[in-house]
């Protein structure tokens, strides 16, 4: 391919990134400057993205502050890596004809092309099903742009294929960078979990109903973002332990193992427990196979699992294993929350099977079974077509106001959906809220100012008001918030604070405008309180009821939205990747067991959870799959 042709994707990625940065709701100028600097850095160091993308993935999303659902800051990181990487390819001198580039392997490349075509077709079906393109920076889960939100993880992954197979990317070096990026990302997740639990239930409180989410804000409507991430990243803890040559480095890796174990345990997710345990067992088996010489292993190669350990390592490994067992016993034995979940396993399985049946019922025509209902269309179809599958609420921007709706008929869902905004720490004393409201039916409104990370409340100041249609369309209300003081939590783990509006009765709906907080010293600003910029800075959040948003099974999720053809192509690609690193020519490489275990962990958690509806985590799964694929004929290592 002529090197000049690479300028097209480079310029396309750069312009898309600049447009996204310029429309950032919080820091448009800063984002533009940072994006330009990152593009230059990615062109200068073409492999840096392999470290930075997985390292930044767990935190590079500010949706609760921006109000973005379709777009996120992580997109800027990916677009910058693509712009810089393709610019580097475009500026590279033509290859010497005496040293030809190894040819592409037709089968995995054909699968990638088929997967891309299938994804584009499913996205177009989703857009058509939603009524056609209607661009909105703050589109939601029922809008046409939700199809783009679900597709972008696959689209980004496919755009990285030429960069992964370029002359600048040495497979062994690329694998090392990716692995260290996974380790750094997992470290950030574990620290976020530690802060989250210290701020709210307490580090050693395992009885309170509190499941950690770290910084995966996509879980504002439930889901399994942290579950899938932990399953994908857990095998790289063992990689870090094996890589550590000195006691200090090994001790740091062991501390990460304990933190990762704590993070997994405090999700209180049986899917995480099974997926992480299963992937680690597989990893140990694959490493043992390499160590026994059943596969072709270059003994003594850097990072090879079979290298000779120092005398201190076996004893230290036994101590780490005992510490992990004590940690498991402490979390599962000291608290009653997980025991209650285990006792309800049969009932939960029955409800999950019923949910899957309802999800499959959305495939009503042979075309749906073949091609799916369209990417991102599961929530809208489920709420509309499944009996009692309605949303717990919704928010619709108007002309300078917002309309909030409660559940259509189910009283049990009332108040379970709110429009929220992060607020700075409020001063001590009486807090008030001023707002204008308009309604055509009797509507109960719940207003809260809470210490909340995402799904669970700490201290709250609240007011409940019943609004009836008045003589004037708009009614101005000034209401006191009652409740305990928001103490901010301990100094070492400060609590985030959140303001929220919710409809607290079935069938209720109301328009809101000019929402303002009032404190002892005057106004406390709420961003976009007059909704003149739509839903900018406002973030929808559900509590306790999430089934409408998720299929809760990775394989059925792909089947319903992409159809049988899309499912077959995706399964064939995953099979090709796993075969290459477990039985193929890459089975003897140092990173292969970890890549295989990571992918299998993601597939295992996918038995009970959705994955593709979380773009950050879905991109990571695609990236790990690409690392396993034999894209080039002469590449022995995964790439």
């Amino acid at each position: 391919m002529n090197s000049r042709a690479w300028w097209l994707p480079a310029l396309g990625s750069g312009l898309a990134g600049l447009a996204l940065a310029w429309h950032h709701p919080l820091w448009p100028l800063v984002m533009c400057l940072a994006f330009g600097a990152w593009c230059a850095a990615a062109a200068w160091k073409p492999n840096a993205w392999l470290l930075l993308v997985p390292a930044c993935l767990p935190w590079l999303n500010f949706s609760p502050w921006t109000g973005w659902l379709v777009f996120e800051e992580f997109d800027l990181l990916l677009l910058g890596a693509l712009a810089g990487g393709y610019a580097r390819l475009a500026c590279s001198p033509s290859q010497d004809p005496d040293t030809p580039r190894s040819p592409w392997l037709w089968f995995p490349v054909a699968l990638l092309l088929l997967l891309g075509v299938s994804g584009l077709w499913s996205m177009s079906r989703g857009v058509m099903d939603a009524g056609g393109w209607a661009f909105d920076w703050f589109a939601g889960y029922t809008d046409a742009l939700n199809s783009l939100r679900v597709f972008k993880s696959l689209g980004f992954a496919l755009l990285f294929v030429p960069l992964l197979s370029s002359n600048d990317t040495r497979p062994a070096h690329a694998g090392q960078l990716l692995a260290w990026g996974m380790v750094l990302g997992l470290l950030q997740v574990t620290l976020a979990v530690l802060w989250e639990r210290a701020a709210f239930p307490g580090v050693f409180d395992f009885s309170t109903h509190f499941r950690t989410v770290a910084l995966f804000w996509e879980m504002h409507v439930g889901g399994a973002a942290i579950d899938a991430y932990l399953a994908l990243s857990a095998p790289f803890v063992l990689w870090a332990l094996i890589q550590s040559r000195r006691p200090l480095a090994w001790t740091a890796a062991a501390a990460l193992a304990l933190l990762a174990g704590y993070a997994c345990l405090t999700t209180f997710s049986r899917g995480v427990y099974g997926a992480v345990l299963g992937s680690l067992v597989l990893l140990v088996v694959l490493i043992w196979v390499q160590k026994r010489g059943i596969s072709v292993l270059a003994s003594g190669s850097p990072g090879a699992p079979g290298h000779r350990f120092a005398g201190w390592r076996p004893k230290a490994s036994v101590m780490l294993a005992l510490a992990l067992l004590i940690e498991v016993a402490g979390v599962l034995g000291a608290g009653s929350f997980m025991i209650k979940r285990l006792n309800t396993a049969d009932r939960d399985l029955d409800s999950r099977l019923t949910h899957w049946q309802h999800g499959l019922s959305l495939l009503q025509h042979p075309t749906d079974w073949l091609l799916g209902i369209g990417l991102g269309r599961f929530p809208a179809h489920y709420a509309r077509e499944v009996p009692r599958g309605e949303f717990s609420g919704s928010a619709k921007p108007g002309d300078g106001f917002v309309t909030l709706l409660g559940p259509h008929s189910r009283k049990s869902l009332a108040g379970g959906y709110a429009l929220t905004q992060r607020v700075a720490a409020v001063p001590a004393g009486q807090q008030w809220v001023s707002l204008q409201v308009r309604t055509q039916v009797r509507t109960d409104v719940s207003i809260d100012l809470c210490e909340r990370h995402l799904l669970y409340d700490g201290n709250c100041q609240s007011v409940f008001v019943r609004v009836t249609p008045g003589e004037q369309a708009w009614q101005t209300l000034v209401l006191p918030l009652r409740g305990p003081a928001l103490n901010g939590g301990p100094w070492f783990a400060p609590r985030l604070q959140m303001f929220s509006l919710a409809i607290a009765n079935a069938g209720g709906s109301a328009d809101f405008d000019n929402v303002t907080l009032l404190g002892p010293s005057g106004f406390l600003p709420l961003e976009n309180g007059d909704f003149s910029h739509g839903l900018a800075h406002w973030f929808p959040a559900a509590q306790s009821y999430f089934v409408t948003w998720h299929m809760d099974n990775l394989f059925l999720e792909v089947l319903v939205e992409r159809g049988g053809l899309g499912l077959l192509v995706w399964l064939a690609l995953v099979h090709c990747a796993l075969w290459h690193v477990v039985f193929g020519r890459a089975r003897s490489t140092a990173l292969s067991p970890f890549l295989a275990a990571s992918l299998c962990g993601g597939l295992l958690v996918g038995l009970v959870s959705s994955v593709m509806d979380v773009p950050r985590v879905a991109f990571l799964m695609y990236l790990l799959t690409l690392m396993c694929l034999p894209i080039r004929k002469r590449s022995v290592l995964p790439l």
Side-chain angles (χ1 to χ4, degrees):
M1 183 175 179
N2 192 323
S3 60
R4 293 181 180 179
W6 296 121
W7 280 115
L8 182 61
L11 291 174
S13 300
L15 291 174
L18 281 175
L20 189 62
W22 183 250
H23 288 88
H24 194 271
L26 300 178
W27 319 291
L29 182 59
V30 172
M31 284 295 174
C32 286
L33 294 174
F35 179 76
W38 167 231
C39 289
W44 178 48
K45 291 290 186 181
N47 293 331
W49 69 271
L50 282 163
L51 173 70
L52 291 178
V53 165
C56 296
L57 182 149
W59 63 270
L60 200 51
N61 179 299
F62 305 136
S63 292
W65 292 267
T66 63
W68 273 352
L69 295 179
V70 176
F71 308 101
E72 57 187 328
E73 292 73 15
F74 185 65
D75 298 340
L76 290 172
L77 183 69
L78 298 181
L79 288 168
L82 291 170
Y86 278 113
R88 171 97 176 193
L89 289 181
C91 294
S92 297
S94 300
Q95 195 172 12
D96 188 348
D98 295 332
T99 57
R101 183 75 165 122
S102 59
W104 297 87
L105 284 174
W106 71 268
F107 184 67
V109 171
L111 288 176
L112 288 172
L113 290 174
L114 286 174
L115 188 65
V117 171
S118 171
L120 285 170
W121 181 259
S122 298
M123 183 179 69
S124 66
R125 282 180 62 84
V127 171
M128 294 293 291
D129 182 73
W133 286 107
F135 190 85
D136 181 0
W137 286 105
F138 302 96
Y141 293 114
T142 61
D143 297 319
L145 282 184
N146 194 47
S147 298
L148 174 64
R149 186 187 73 88
V150 176
F151 171 78
K152 66 180 181 180
S153 55
L154 172 59
F156 277 132
L158 294 177
L159 288 173
F160 276 105
V161 170
L163 302 186
L164 281 171
S165 60
S166 70
N167 291 328
D168 290 325
T169 302
R170 300 190 307 275
H173 182 54
Q176 291 278 324
L177 288 175
L178 178 74
W180 280 119
M182 294 294 294
V183 170
L184 291 174
L186 181 60
L187 174 61
Q188 294 168 70
V189 170
T190 58
L191 292 177
V193 166
L194 201 62
W195 159 71
E196 179 186 357
R197 294 195 63 83
F200 287 92
V203 174
F204 301 108
D205 182 351
F206 306 122
S207 298
T208 302
H209 184 172
F210 190 101
R211 300 176 66 181
T212 51
V213 300
L215 303 179
F216 291 101
W217 309 117
E218 297 91 339
M219 296 179 69
H220 67 121
V221 288
I226 192 172
D227 303 36
Y229 179 85
L230 291 173
L232 290 168
S233 58
F236 291 93
V237 177
L238 187 54
W239 179 86
L241 287 166
I242 292 175
Q243 285 287 110
S244 303
R245 299 289 191 270
R246 300 180 182 277
L248 184 60
W250 190 94
T251 302
L256 176 60
L258 291 171
L259 286 172
Y262 180 85
C264 292
L265 289 167
T266 54
T267 63
F268 296 105
S269 169
R270 290 156 297 195
V272 171
Y273 296 172
V276 170
L277 181 60
S279 65
L280 292 180
V281 169
L282 173 64
L283 178 57
V284 170
V285 170
L286 293 176
I287 292 176
W288 180 82
V289 169
Q290 284 191 341
K291 187 177 180 181
R292 297 290 296 177
I294 296 177
S295 60
V296 180
L297 176 65
S299 61
S301 61
H307 74 273
R308 187 179 300 277
F309 290 156
W312 55 270
R313 293 181 69 111
K315 295 180 181 178
S317 299
V318 171
M319 293 178 63
L320 175 60
L322 290 175
L324 287 170
L325 289 175
I326 293 172
E327 185 177 51
V328 172
V331 174
L332 300 186
S336 60
F337 179 43
M338 192 62 206
I339 295 175
K340 290 179 181 178
R341 286 183 55 77
L342 292 174
N343 290 336
T344 61
D346 292 341
R347 187 173 60 206
D348 292 344
L349 178 59
D350 290 339
S351 63
R352 187 64 58 89
L353 290 173
T354 301
H355 179 52
W356 292 342
Q357 292 172 353
H358 288 158
L360 288 175
S361 70
L362 302 179
L363 301 173
Q364 298 177 356
H365 307 287
T367 304
D368 295 338
W369 283 95
L370 188 65
L371 302 174
I373 62 175
L375 286 182
R377 298 306 296 162
F378 176 82
H381 279 250
Y382 195 95
R384 183 174 65 243
E385 300 171 19
V386 174
R388 297 179 62 79
E390 62 188 277
F391 289 115
S392 54
S394 62
K396 298 179 180 180
D399 186 11
F401 62 91
V402 68
T403 301
L404 275 182
L405 296 92
H408 178 68
S409 60
R410 295 180 61 182
K411 295 181 180 179
S412 61
L413 304 184
Y417 179 96
L419 198 59
T420 71
Q421 184 174 139
R422 295 290 186 193
V423 296
V426 298
Q430 178 69 60
Q431 311 297 327
W432 298 70
V433 61
S434 171
L435 74 161
Q436 289 183 298
V437 60
R438 177 177 64 183
T439 184
Q440 297 180 354
V441 296
R442 182 183 62 83
T443 300
D444 296 336
V445 178
S446 176
I447 305 173
D448 300 279
L449 180 63
C450 294
E451 295 172 334
R452 184 197 292 184
H453 180 65
L454 185 62
L455 301 178
Y456 304 100
D457 295 330
N459 292 335
C460 282
Q461 296 181 2
S462 308
V463 63
F464 177 90
V465 59
R466 176 163 293 169
V467 182
T468 57
E471 295 181 0
Q472 296 182 347
W474 287 97
Q475 304 176 49
T476 300
L477 304 178
V478 180
L479 306 167
L481 297 174
R482 307 292 188 188
L486 308 184
N487 55 33
W491 64 268
F492 53 86
R495 293 179 175 181
L496 298 176
Q497 296 181 2
M498 180 182 289
F499 175 83
S500 65
L501 287 170
I503 302 299
N505 65 308
S509 66
D511 302 331
F512 295 92
D513 196 4
N514 296 320
V515 183
T516 306
L517 273 176
L518 305 172
S521 57
F523 288 92
L524 300 173
L526 285 175
E527 297 291 340
N528 192 31
D530 60 359
F531 301 99
S532 58
H533 298 289
L535 293 178
H537 306 288
W538 292 94
F539 191 57
Q543 288 183 296
S544 73
Y545 178 76
F546 311 118
V547 296
T548 308
W549 283 276
H550 309 283
M551 185 67 195
D552 289 334
N553 184 287
L554 169 60
F555 305 91
L556 297 182
E557 173 187 28
V558 175
L559 172 63
V560 169
E561 293 197 340
R562 309 183 192 202
L565 289 179
L567 177 62
L568 287 176
V569 173
W570 175 70
L571 288 176
L573 186 74
V574 173
H575 177 268
C576 179
L578 288 175
W579 182 273
H580 182 57
V581 292
V582 176
F583 302 106
R585 296 173 65 234
R587 67 186 183 276
S588 60
T589 61
L591 198 61
S592 291
F594 304 95
L595 290 172
S598 176
L599 267 184
C600 289
L603 296 175
L604 285 173
V605 82
L607 293 174
V608 292
S609 303
S610 297
V611 177
M612 296 302 180
D613 57 359
V614 185
R616 283 192 289 171
V617 179
F619 173 80
L620 182 61
M621 191 168 189
Y622 281 126
L623 178 60
L624 292 170
T625 304
L626 291 178
M627 293 294 293
C628 295
L629 284 173
I631 298 175
R632 290 287 187 177
K633 188 172 183 180
R634 297 179 186 176
S635 175
V636 176
L637 296 178
L639 274 182

